[in-house]
Amino acid sequence: MAGNRGVTYQGPGKVSVDEIPYPTFELQDGPGVNPANVGRQLPHAAILKVVTSNICGSDQHMVRGRTTAPEGLVLGHEITGEVVETGPGVEFVQKGQICSVPFNIACGRCRNCKEGKTGICLNVNPDRPGSAYGYVDMGGWVGGQADYVLVPYADWNLLPFPDRDQALEKIRDLTMLSDIFPTGFHGAYTAGVKPGSTVYIAGAGPVGLAAAVGAQLLGAAVVVVGDLDERRLAQARSFGCETVDVSKGDPKDQIEQLLGVPEVDCGVDAVGFEARGHGEGSKQEAPATVLNSLMEITAAGGALGIPGLYVTGDPGGIDEAAKKGALSLSLGTGWAKSLSFTTGQCPVMRYNRQLMMAILHDKVQIAKAVNATVIGLDDAPRGYAEFDSGVAQKFVLDPHGMVPAA
């Protein structure tokens, strides 16, 4: 049996690469595992040799100590891997296939899964609908920033790539299918982006940049991206976006300078609960800022896509309400303008095959847009630290040296 290593959370600001158990077809006890899931038999699972696993902004929330994640939790929900072993209940997935792993863990059997709502599967997390690998309060499924990982309900969850050589050639793009590309696209799609739309995307991190790419794919006339960090804004401009620096003031005024009117057709929140204020308040956390701003600048009858993460437990929240995920929203503004909202985990399987085809047929270069940067598993602590500093990079872990040179 091969050994296994994984990136583990070791308290606020700390991750390490440690020896972890090799996956088995039974869910073992461990940090964050729901007691009701311990001993769960998984004949429908597959074991994957991890080809790539990306560092996500959602991981960074945990590593900053802004969730109730337990120490020792194995991180990583953005996974692409090669199937090396299958359980007796796996019928269609085959050894040797390279597959994308949606970050949502879904059974494929419950009412929500059958309706395409794979982000809120009813059967994989005893605590609440919805689950993910290596994430707090998600049932305790082991993360994939590791050498090997277990994927339950493999026939349902895995997206095999048609050709191995082509997959490895395009792996920097294809690795984004596990989360940020579908998530960003979902944000743009649920915001109602259509050909000719004007779009404002709050946040120029990887999800915000993926949302911008998604908006372009959907035919937006103008994509405006707002952020506090000039490095990230420059990355957005590198593939044709307009940008606003929200540290310089209200984005509404800057949008009017760009578009001639102080509003857009569609709005996307790719920031989430660690949002800061605008203008002089940009150095202070103000978690409702982005949502309230989007309601103000989105045209009446429009929609907000909200892929940015919001939580129900934040030990570092600015007040007691924020620690419980309760924000001071100007809901009256949204109601008066008849705005619609879409929140929650992206149902990755709703989009990943179509976006895979766009990548394979050279219709999009998502890796270039998010500045994918490949590092080894042992470099994960450095990757987390640099990502936390605000660099305009998306770090891709390559545990086995399988990613070809750029």
Side-chain angles (χ1 to χ4, degrees), residues 46 48 51 79-84 86 90-102 151-168 171 174-175 177-178 348-349 351-361:
L48 271 60
V51 176
I79 308 163
T80 306
E82 177 185 357
V83 178
V84 295
T86 57
V90 176
E91 186 175 0
F92 303 111
V93 169
Q94 299 177 0
K95 294 179 184 178
Q97 287 183 314
I98 295 180
C99 306
S100 180
V101 184
V151 175
Y153 304 102
D155 283 328
W156 169 252
N157 283 308
L158 291 176
L159 175 68
F161 300 135
D163 181 84
R164 178 186 178 89
D165 291 339
Q166 185 187 32
L168 289 174
I171 195 65
L174 294 171
T175 189
L177 291 172
S178 58
V348 170
M349 294 173 69
Y351 309 105
N352 63 348
R353 184 185 179 278
Q354 298 94 314
L355 294 176
M356 175 188 75
M357 295 300 288
I359 290 170
L360 294 179
H361 291 279

Side-chain angles (χ1 to χ4, degrees), residues 27 31 98 137 152 178-179 219 227 267 270 280 291 335 362 371-372 389 392:
L27 191 56
I98 295 180
D137 296 332
S178 58
D179 182 356
D227 203 280
E280 293 182 359
L291 290 171
W335 190 93
D362 299 318
N371 195 15
S389 75

Side-chain angles (χ1 to χ4, degrees), residues 102-179:
F103 80 90
N104 321 112
I105 301 173
C107 72
R109 296 152 165 81
C110 71
R111 172 181 176 176
N112 283 351
C113 284
K114 290 179 179 180
E115 293 178 355
K117 302 172 184 175
T118 54
I120 44 175
C121 174
L122 300 173
N123 288 331
V124 290
N125 182 1
D127 280 336
R128 64 180 71 175
S131 189
Y133 304 88
Y135 212 83
V136 60
D137 296 332
M138 289 292 182
W141 301 89
V142 178
Q145 289 174 12
D147 291 314
Y148 297 89
V149 68
L150 184 84
V151 175
Y153 304 102
D155 283 328
W156 169 252
N157 283 308
L158 291 176
L159 175 68
F161 300 135
D163 181 84
R164 178 186 178 89
D165 291 339
Q166 185 187 32
L168 289 174
E169 178 186 347
K170 294 181 177 292
I171 195 65
R172 286 173 172 80
D173 294 290
L174 294 171
T175 189
M176 305 303 166
L177 291 172
S178 58
D179 182 356

Side-chain angles (χ1 to χ4, degrees), residues 58 182-188 190 207-208 211 267-272 304-310 342-346:
S58 298
T183 293
F185 187 89
H186 178 65
T190 56
V207 170
V268 179
D269 174 4
V271 178
L304 306 185
I306 309 174
L309 176 68
Y310 290 88
T342 300
T343 65
Q345 289 187 32
C346 165

